[in-house]
Amino acid sequence: MTTQFQHARDGETTDAMRRVAERENVSPEFVREEVAAGHAVIPANHNHASLDPMIIGEAFSTKVNANIGNSEETSSREEELKKLHMAIHHGADTVMDLSTGQNLDDVREANVRYSPVPVGTVPIYEAVKQVDDPDDITHELLLDVIRKQAEQGVDYMTIHAGVLMEHLPLTDGRKTGIVSRGGSILAKWMEENAMQNPLYVHFEEICEVFAEYDVTFSLGDGLRPGCIADAGDEAQYAELETLGELVGIARDHGVQAMVEGPGHVPLDMVAEQVEREREVCDGAPFYLLGPLVTDIAPGYDHITSAIGATEAARAGAAMLCYVTPKEHLGLPDAEDVRDGLAAYRIAAHAGDVAAGLPGARDWDDALSEARYAFDWRRQFDLALDPERAQDYHDQTLPGDNYKEARFCSMCGVEFCSMRIDQDARDADGEMEHIEDETDLDDSSAAEVNLPPVGTHDTSRVPELPDFLREIHDADARSGASADD
């Protein structure tokens, strides 16, 4: 079967491209041109029946990925599906199943089955589970796992093919060494077997599998910095050069490719890292974890990373991988997924506003107008997280009469600045009235820069399990979108 990239290069506009154009508020021809150039990807495995296609590229709205997955210590299939629902409900554009625990096939198949957004994986995690010692992994095993996951409908996979034997000495002297799980596994494998990275050696065979199912490469940053002291060192940039080479090979095989990035990077280096990837990797979409701009805040790394993510989005990053409050500390639960997504949806939107994407600020303007008008219900509806916004308001002023009040509990009646301002304008007529004309229905913004978040076409998603249907219905009753 033909990939989106091959269709685009042949001048063919696919149904997925037309759907993406609708969601991005651009022409299908523009989508096709960006995909054909390799500057955007549409992760859309032929076997992912429930998918609502989306696009990742610098020319489009900044996307957000949510990592979910179980571990040896905790989480079940039911818990993972709750995380999946929470991620989609709160605006994830893609999810990555990073499971390393039990029942990997069952969890993965359930995630693909019930997800309207692209699902990503890291195949080497499953390969490790199938051997007694990771050093016993073979390239045949890796290819078997990759093919199986492609058959299951996985839309994109992290492949750490850029970590080479000659790069390993460059990590000496780092404060935190190799922090990527895939990178560390492969580094040890190469040391123990005295052989080159099998994912690099057999990269073209992987390309053939990806081309068959239209799986997108997410070329992993196995030597990413794990602290700001290691950012921009020789090891990181040596791997980046190899990733640029691999982007070209993938394209030669008709396969879509994006590139993963750091990691931990001080704020003053974020933009230059985005620009360097763009240059080295011929404009391939850049997908960043974070980056965290300081290392001092375990428990709050959704904040330290969202700062870096905002700057990365402004500089041209195509997708941001969220970080939850549990980063470095434990496996996130559903509420951590919610908090991480809120931080990253804010970062992505703020980056789009700063970068001047068409219509991106309209949402801000509409909410500001509702705030000034004391239209509390409209404020809640327009909020990134309507349930939380109303909950915080109602903790002190819960009555329906307070939904019409010209104050909140922060300032009270006497000291509410906007009420004072409005009264002054009405009293003497010398101050002009505030402009209040933003029409979101007529906005040129992409779908992700308009409320509500978490809106996807779920018509192809099968009927939800009972426990998940109960959560979905509760969300709908609380005012959430019925299409989440």
Side-chain angles (χ1 to χ4, degrees):
M1 298 179 73
T2 307
T3 67
Q4 295 293 328
F5 184 58
Q6 290 167 328
H7 281 302
R9 287 210 159 172
D10 290 340
E12 300 169 3
T13 303
T14 64
D15 288 342
M17 294 175 199
R18 281 185 280 270
R19 171 57 177 154
V20 163
E22 177 186 0
R23 300 182 72 179
E24 296 289 328
N25 225 335
V26 297
S27 71
E29 293 74 24
F30 179 70
V31 171
R32 187 187 67 229
E33 290 167 1
E34 288 296 297
V35 173
H39 297 164
V41 297
I42 302 175
N45 189 314
H46 300 310
N47 289 348
H48 189 171
S50 60
L51 182 68
D52 184 15
M54 53 79 70
I55 194 165
I56 302 166
E58 182 183 351
F60 303 96
S61 55
T62 305
K63 303 307 189 297
V64 174
N65 170 68
N67 288 340
I68 58 176
N70 67 15
S71 72
E72 286 285 1
E73 284 70 31
T74 184
S75 197
S76 62
R77 177 182 181 273
E78 181 173 307
E79 183 63 29
E80 289 312 307
L81 284 176
K82 288 179 181 178
K83 291 181 191 176
L84 173 69
H85 173 83
M86 184 71 78
I88 294 170
H89 175 62
H90 288 285
D93 299 295
T94 77
V95 295
M96 286 203 79
D97 178 1
L98 305 186
S99 295
T100 57
Q102 303 301 315
N103 303 317
L104 296 182
D105 282 333
D106 188 34
V107 170
R108 186 183 311 112
E109 288 173 349
N111 282 332
V112 171
R113 177 177 174 81
Y114 292 110
S115 177
V117 305
V119 175
T121 60
V122 187
I124 197 169
Y125 296 170
E126 183 177 0
V128 168
K129 297 285 291 183
Q130 294 191 19
V131 292
D132 293 329
D133 187 327
D135 298 337
D136 296 333
I137 291 174
T138 64
H139 80 271
E140 291 90 353
L141 172 60
L142 288 167
L143 287 169
D144 286 346
V145 170
I146 288 168
R147 176 171 288 279
K148 180 185 69 173
Q149 293 192 4
E151 290 174 349
Q152 290 173 323
V154 170
D155 301 287
Y156 67 101
M157 298 186 200
T158 295
I159 303 295
H160 297 91
V163 183
L164 305 184
M165 290 184 70
E166 53 266 37
H167 298 159
L168 302 186
L170 301 177
T171 65
D172 294 343
R174 278 184 160 189
K175 284 189 180 295
T176 53
I178 300 174
V179 300
S180 158
R181 289 194 291 198
S184 64
I185 291 166
L186 287 164
K188 185 174 182 293
W189 187 96
M190 287 186 279
E191 288 283 329
E192 294 296 325
N193 290 282
M195 295 171 64
Q196 186 59 278
N197 182 347
L199 295 174
Y200 178 80
V201 173
H202 299 279
F203 188 76
E204 293 193 76
E205 294 176 61
I206 301 172
C207 287
E208 292 171 5
V209 175
F210 278 26
E212 182 178 350
Y213 295 92
D214 199 1
V215 178
T216 298
F217 275 109
S218 186
L219 294 169
D221 52 343
L223 299 181
R224 67 177 178 266
C227 61
I228 60 174
D230 294 340
D233 68 358
E234 286 186 276
Q236 180 194 343
Y237 286 150
E239 181 187 26
L240 183 62
E241 292 291 334
T242 305
L243 297 181
E245 169 197 341
L246 296 174
V247 166
I249 296 172
R251 290 174 179 173
D252 288 343
H253 284 76
V255 177
Q256 303 182 94
M258 58 184 170
V259 175
E260 296 183 15
H264 294 242
V265 179
L267 186 59
D268 59 300
M269 292 178 61
V270 172
E272 69 180 66
Q273 295 234 350
V274 176
E275 292 160 6
R276 185 163 185 155
E277 184 276 342
R278 182 189 296 116
E279 179 181 351
V280 171
C281 298
D282 192 27
F286 203 15
Y287 164 31
L288 275 78
L289 173 66
L292 288 74
V293 296
T294 180
D295 300 326
I296 64 168
Y300 299 93
D301 279 334
H302 61 311
I303 298 174
T304 62
S305 62
I307 294 169
T310 304
E311 174 65 359
R314 185 199 63 80
M319 186 161 74
L320 310 171
C321 183
Y322 85 163
V323 173
T324 77
K326 287 275 182 63
E327 188 76 14
H328 304 111
L329 301 173
L331 186 72
D333 59 20
E335 194 62 23
D336 296 316
V337 169
R338 178 183 187 175
D339 290 342
L341 271 166
Y344 271 71
R345 282 260 60 100
I346 293 167
H349 179 75
D352 286 348
V353 171
L357 261 67
R361 206 191 73 185
D362 291 348
W363 186 358
D364 301 75
D365 291 347
L367 194 146
S368 297
E369 291 160 7
R371 178 175 290 144
Y372 188 77
F374 294 104
D375 188 342
W376 293 103
R377 290 185 176 86
R378 177 70 170 157
Q379 275 193 72
F380 302 149
D381 288 343
L382 290 174
L384 181 82
D385 187 338
E387 299 99 317
R388 180 158 293 178
Q390 180 165 348
D391 178 59
Y392 281 3
H393 173 271
D394 291 357
Q395 284 176 13
T396 50
L397 299 173
D400 283 346
N401 58 309
Y402 290 113
K403 303 299 188 296
E404 313 294 333
R406 296 175 67 208
F407 64 93
C408 71
S409 64
M410 184 173 185
C411 297
V413 179
E414 185 177 358
F415 288 97
C416 179
S417 58
M418 289 193 293
R419 182 197 61 77
I420 295 169
D421 182 70
Q422 289 178 9
D423 289 348
R425 291 174 190 277
D426 292 340
D428 57 23
E430 293 183 6
M431 297 171 68
E432 294 184 3
H433 285 280
I434 302 297
E435 185 176 335
D436 182 8
E437 298 179 353
T438 303
D439 182 2
L440 293 182
D441 291 336
D442 195 40
S443 174
S444 58
E447 185 178 277
V448 300
N449 280 321
L450 293 170
V453 301
T455 302
H456 305 278
D457 179 0
T458 59
S459 61
R460 290 177 293 278
V461 176
E463 185 174 352
L464 300 176
D466 289 343
F467 75 90
L468 205 56
R469 169 57 59 184
E470 291 172 4
I471 298 171
H472 182 280
D473 291 345
D475 287 338
R477 286 193 298 272
S478 69
S481 166
D483 293 328
D484 65 311

